[in-house]
Amino acid sequence: MDKNLFRLDSIEMHKKRVLRDAIHDYIQVDHLIIWKLINSKEVQRLRRIKQLGGTYQVFQSAEHSRFVHSLGVYQIIKKMLETECLESALNDYEKLTVMCAGLLHDIGHGPFSHSFEGVFHGSHEDMSVKVIVDPHSEVNQILSTVHENLAFDVASIINHTHHNNILISMVSSQLDADRMDYLLRDSYMTGTTYGHFDLSRVLRTMRICDGKLVYKESGVQAIENYILARYHMYWQVYYHPTARSYEHLLRAILLRIKDLYNENYQFKTSLRYLIPFLDNRVEVEDFYCLDESILLYIFRELTDEHDVIISDLTKRFLDRRLFKYVKITDANQIVAIQDLAFSLGYDPRYYINTDTQTQVPYLHYGKSGELNDIQILCEDGHLEPLPSQSEIVDAIIHSKKTKQDSGIFFPKEIKKEYEEF
Ligand code: CA
């Protein structure tokens, strides 16, 4: 089938589906292919991966999954496509491609993604692409029934190689459907109000100019609000020290498993689902099998191992005896705590963890140094970068104070000794 002859209404469902949602009220599914993708095993797996990893250890109600976030991203893309400017700028094939990309963008997330990726060195973006293009995956088979190139085109939006920049920026840019959904959803689910912004207003002021998504001048305040929402969510929620502590404990467990495996330690626990990751030969099916429920089961089993470190770390994890956090004020502090841990019989490789968090709320430049500004369409028709139209964003860019937080995380028992020291 020629992509240009592709008609979206030709694949419409007789009976449209709606899914009730806390953020968007209703998620609307009009196309059978979207419905089939939602019901594919790879998308259903996302129900078993939490959107915020360990953050629910601090914000107890934030137990939402990547599944519901993926539906939300799809719904925002759908709303974008209904705006006048995009409605006419994209053809039906492009519209379908970007809706699928929104729904599938997180399909490559592993369990507790950030800690897991840190130890096993995979990128969720690469894995998403791998799942989509693999002919053995259900999503690939579903996409291929509509058009032979569809899986490849969806993947190329996710890995930023698609020829149409508008489609890429709808899914991933400074102001994209992914971030818009997670800010609103995470803010609602954590019970904080920092992430709130006026989504309808942002979408209403969206336009296309010079082949790019831009925003009308009248949308500047709504965009400022979105940028501040992001900034506050990072510091109040995503970088919360207790959430980071949980991630460190998780990372320590995975690292200990990996070290023991490499030393040929004889595990009593079956590591069947982890072995492809430990051997660094992960196929799409191995990836599909590993989710957070499996990992938590493995952790329960590991509490019975002879190895005292893995048994202790997994008990701490399951019973929420997290590492304590101290702000780092000078480098000698780390050495002093490491020495102290060592003298008390704790291996610093697993029990002493440090990190530094910085977050820039607005990126003037992209990854490869190119200008990356959100573009504002002025009344006379010319484009201006957002900072020149917003004093707030300009002040943020030129601020000399980049907020940074360095912390050291270690067991409470060591902290007690350290304070008496
Ligand atoms: Ca996402």
Side-chain angles (χ1 to χ4, degrees):
M1 193 193 332
D2 186 337
K3 288 183 198 177
N4 298 322
L5 297 176
F6 182 88
R7 293 271 308 273
L8 206 48
D9 55 14
S10 70
I11 57 157
E12 256 185 48
M13 290 199 285
H14 295 303
K15 184 170 164 274
K16 297 188 181 180
R17 307 273 185 163
V18 285
L19 307 169
R20 198 73 201 243
D21 181 60
I23 305 304
H24 305 295
D25 197 11
Y26 288 106
I27 311 272
Q28 294 156 328
V29 184
D30 306 339
H31 304 102
L32 189 58
I33 175 178
I34 299 291
W35 186 245
K36 283 187 178 167
L37 287 174
I38 291 173
N39 290 303
S40 68
K41 66 176 197 178
E42 293 91 6
V43 174
Q44 289 293 319
R45 170 184 170 276
L46 295 177
R47 289 182 184 272
R48 302 188 292 276
I49 308 278
K50 287 195 178 71
Q51 171 71 8
L52 286 182
T55 307
Y56 72 94
Q57 296 279 344
V58 196
F59 296 94
Q60 326 301 332
S61 52
E63 295 215 25
H64 54 302
S65 67
R66 289 201 182 267
F67 174 76
V68 72
H69 160 67
S70 300
L71 293 179
V73 174
Y74 153 79
Q75 177 63 23
I76 294 182
I77 297 219
K78 194 167 182 302
K79 279 189 191 162
M80 288 176 164
L81 293 173
E82 285 161 6
T83 59
E84 216 173 289
C85 65
L86 281 178
E87 182 20 37
S88 53
L90 301 176
N91 66 35
D92 282 351
Y93 182 81
E94 289 171 321
K95 286 177 190 167
L96 181 68
T97 312
V98 72
M99 283 193 278
C100 295
L103 180 63
L104 302 178
H105 80 285
D106 268 352
I107 207 169
H109 268 286
F112 307 106
S113 19
H114 300 294
S115 316
F116 195 85
E117 281 178 16
V119 176
F120 293 103
H121 311 296
S123 116
H124 61 264
E125 211 169 75
D126 293 347
M127 188 46 89
S128 297
V129 169
K130 198 169 164 177
V131 175
I132 293 167
V133 300
D134 188 312
H136 298 103
S137 75
E138 281 189 16
V139 292
N140 181 279
Q141 289 161 9
I142 295 165
L143 294 167
S144 304
T145 57
V146 179
H147 193 287
E148 57 182 345
N149 293 341
L150 186 55
F152 178 80
D153 290 333
V154 169
S156 71
I157 294 180
I158 294 172
N159 68 12
H160 300 214
T161 55
H162 198 282
H163 60 88
N164 188 342
N165 194 265
I166 294 174
L167 304 185
I168 297 175
S169 55
M170 288 168 74
V171 180
S172 167
S173 63
Q174 296 233 53
L175 190 52
D176 60 31
D178 181 22
R179 289 176 199 194
M180 291 196 238
D181 183 79
Y182 79 61
L183 285 178
L184 294 172
R185 193 170 299 280
D186 296 348
S187 136
Y188 178 85
M189 295 305 293
T190 51
T192 60
T193 53
Y194 313 106
H196 211 75
F197 66 93
D198 191 347
L199 171 67
S200 310
R201 182 81 199 144
V202 173
L203 298 186
R204 271 187 77 83
T205 58
M206 204 167 71
R207 293 292 180 274
I208 289 179
C209 184
D210 296 348
K212 287 191 290 259
L213 275 188
V214 303
Y215 295 84
K216 277 174 67 182
E217 255 181 305
S218 56
V220 168
Q221 285 73 27
I223 296 172
E224 287 176 342
N225 202 225
Y226 157 89
I227 287 167
L228 288 174
R230 240 179 91 194
Y231 181 70
H232 291 142
M233 280 298 278
Y234 269 88
W235 289 109
Q236 295 297 325
V237 177
Y238 306 134
Y239 292 163
H240 192 291
T242 311
R244 278 151 65 195
S245 168
Y246 179 88
E247 302 283 338
H248 282 301
L249 185 50
L250 184 60
R251 198 192 60 90
I253 293 172
L254 297 172
L255 190 61
R256 184 62 183 165
I257 296 174
K258 199 173 168 184
D259 288 349
L260 288 172
Y261 182 76
N262 291 337
E263 289 163 17
N264 285 322
Y265 169 85
Q266 293 302 307
F267 284 91
K268 288 197 283 176
T269 308
S270 163
L271 295 184
R272 189 180 145 200
Y273 293 110
L274 270 180
I275 284 173
F277 295 85
L278 290 161
D279 288 341
N280 204 5
R281 47 167 180 81
V282 182
E283 295 302 324
V284 165
E285 186 61 20
D286 304 319
F287 180 78
Y288 162 74
C289 288
L290 192 69
D291 57 42
E292 288 172 6
S293 58
I294 296 285
L295 208 54
L296 289 172
Y297 179 77
I298 295 174
F299 289 179
R300 169 58 68 210
E301 293 272 283
L302 288 171
T303 61
D304 284 336
E305 285 291 340
H306 298 303
D307 177 71
V308 287
I309 296 180
I310 196 68
S311 143
D312 175 59
L313 290 172
T314 46
K315 279 179 195 150
R316 284 174 189 271
F317 187 88
L318 293 172
D319 300 338
R320 198 187 182 272
R321 284 183 292 116
L322 304 179
F323 292 155
K324 291 290 166 192
Y325 158 87
V326 171
K327 222 177 177 52
I328 299 176
T329 44
D330 73 288
N332 295 332
Q333 209 182 348
I334 304 175
V335 180
I337 294 173
Q338 277 173 337
D339 289 348
L340 183 63
F342 199 72
S343 70
L344 292 170
Y346 293 93
D347 186 340
R349 179 167 166 82
Y350 311 104
Y351 286 94
I352 308 293
N353 297 278
T354 56
D355 71 24
T356 298
Q357 304 294 346
T358 39
Q359 204 257 340
V360 187
Y362 180 81
L363 286 170
H364 210 16
Y365 300 100
K367 276 186 194 148
S368 38
E370 76 287 3
L371 274 175
N372 189 39
D373 282 308
I374 295 171
Q375 297 290 322
I376 303 300
L377 179 63
C378 299
E379 299 228 330
D380 64 3
H382 83 284
L383 292 177
E384 283 282 347
L386 175 64
S388 75
Q389 298 298 302
S390 161
E391 281 184 33
I392 293 176
V393 176
D394 191 56
I396 290 173
I397 291 177
H398 293 105
S399 164
K400 297 214 168 38
K401 286 187 214 145
T402 302
K403 186 166 159 56
Q404 184 168 317
D405 177 31
S406 297
I408 180 159
F409 300 81
F410 52 102
K412 193 166 140 193
E413 306 88 285
I414 305 177
K415 187 169 183 246
K416 201 163 158 267
E417 293 276 334
Y418 178 69
E419 282 161 355
E420 285 165 10
F421 181 63

